[in-house]
Amino acid sequence: MKERPILMSAPMVCALIEGRKTQTRRVVALREFGPSDTLGYQWHFRDRRGLWNDISTERLLELCPYGVPGDRLWVRETWHHEDASCFDPKCGQPTHIFYRVTEPYPESIRWRPSIFMPRWASRITLEITEVRVQRVQETSHSDAVAEGFDVGHPAGPLHWFRGLWDSLNAKRGFGWAANPWVWAIAFRRVQP
């Protein structure tokens, strides 16, 4: 079992805490990735040297940068270490950590970006239960619900997910309309 970090936005951290989020989708970052037309292989991509690689689905899933079933993901979120109550910024004491999503704290506080959250400060651990590869537009109604759909949202789950996807990925050229290949990762929350 391996552990890897994964970034989550504030609304997705809330969905995790509330138990609404059990899937995430991330862009497959392999060059010219797609179905293979070579007999015996399901996928192909170009490597860093520009050479074509044909691989099976089984091998592809082993290449997922987020892990395979049984691996764990620890969630990075916006946080703050209470320096006033502790003189060691790497103390590892959960009582000295505050999380922007759930902690009422003054806006004057110096929040640390999620990308800089160390493992010891993470409060959410996920165990991967399934990894699939699909086009983002193949996301089903139930997949959109599992992505953390808020039932109070006026739009349906797929419409909501499409807007969420574009807000996170369109500027990078991977919007809903581009229909990129994605890693569809299912997980369950575990105690660290």
Side-chain angles (χ1 to χ4, degrees), residues 2-4 6 8 16 21 24 70-75 119 124-128 187-190:
K2 293 183 181 178
E3 282 197 350
R4 296 171 176 86
I6 190 165
M8 292 277 178
L16 284 168
K21 186 168 181 66
T24 190
D71 286 353
R72 293 189 172 183
L73 300 168
W74 53 275
V75 176
R119 174 64 179 114
I124 302 172
T125 303
L126 310 170
E127 182 178 311
I128 298 173
F187 50 80
R188 65 181 186 86
R189 189 169 173 191
V190 296

Side-chain angles (χ1 to χ4, degrees), residues 80-87 95-98 105 109 112:
H80 171 74
H81 181 260
E82 182 57 72
D83 300 320
S85 65
C86 180
F87 297 105
T95 56
H96 299 173
I97 305 300
F98 298 92
Y105 227 83
I109 194 169
R112 296 180 183 188

Side-chain angles (χ1 to χ4, degrees), residues 23-129:
Q23 288 186 18
T24 190
R25 280 162 177 68
R26 306 295 166 117
V27 173
V28 173
L30 296 172
R31 286 184 27 208
E32 298 183 49
F33 175 78
S36 175
D37 54 6
T38 302
L39 188 63
Y41 298 97
Q42 292 80 41
W43 304 97
H44 69 227
F45 65 95
R46 284 194 189 268
D47 63 20
R48 291 181 181 152
R49 299 169 298 172
L51 301 175
W52 282 106
N53 290 268
D54 288 294
I55 58 175
S56 66
T57 298
E58 181 179 300
R59 177 69 181 121
L60 173 66
L61 297 180
E62 291 172 1
L63 295 176
C64 177
Y66 301 98
V68 297
D71 286 353
R72 293 189 172 183
L73 300 168
W74 53 275
V75 176
R76 286 181 159 168
E77 60 181 298
T78 304
W79 64 296
H80 171 74
H81 181 260
E82 182 57 72
D83 300 320
S85 65
C86 180
F87 297 105
D88 180 7
K90 296 181 180 175
C91 72
Q93 295 296 319
T95 56
H96 299 173
I97 305 300
F98 298 92
Y99 305 94
R100 190 170 197 171
V101 163
T102 56
E103 307 289 341
Y105 227 83
E107 282 301 314
S108 60
I109 194 169
R110 189 181 133 240
W111 292 105
R112 296 180 183 188
S114 55
I115 190 74
F116 299 118
M117 176 180 264
R119 174 64 179 114
W120 61 262
S122 177
R123 63 178 166 168
I124 302 172
T125 303
L126 310 170
E127 182 178 311
I128 298 173
T129 58

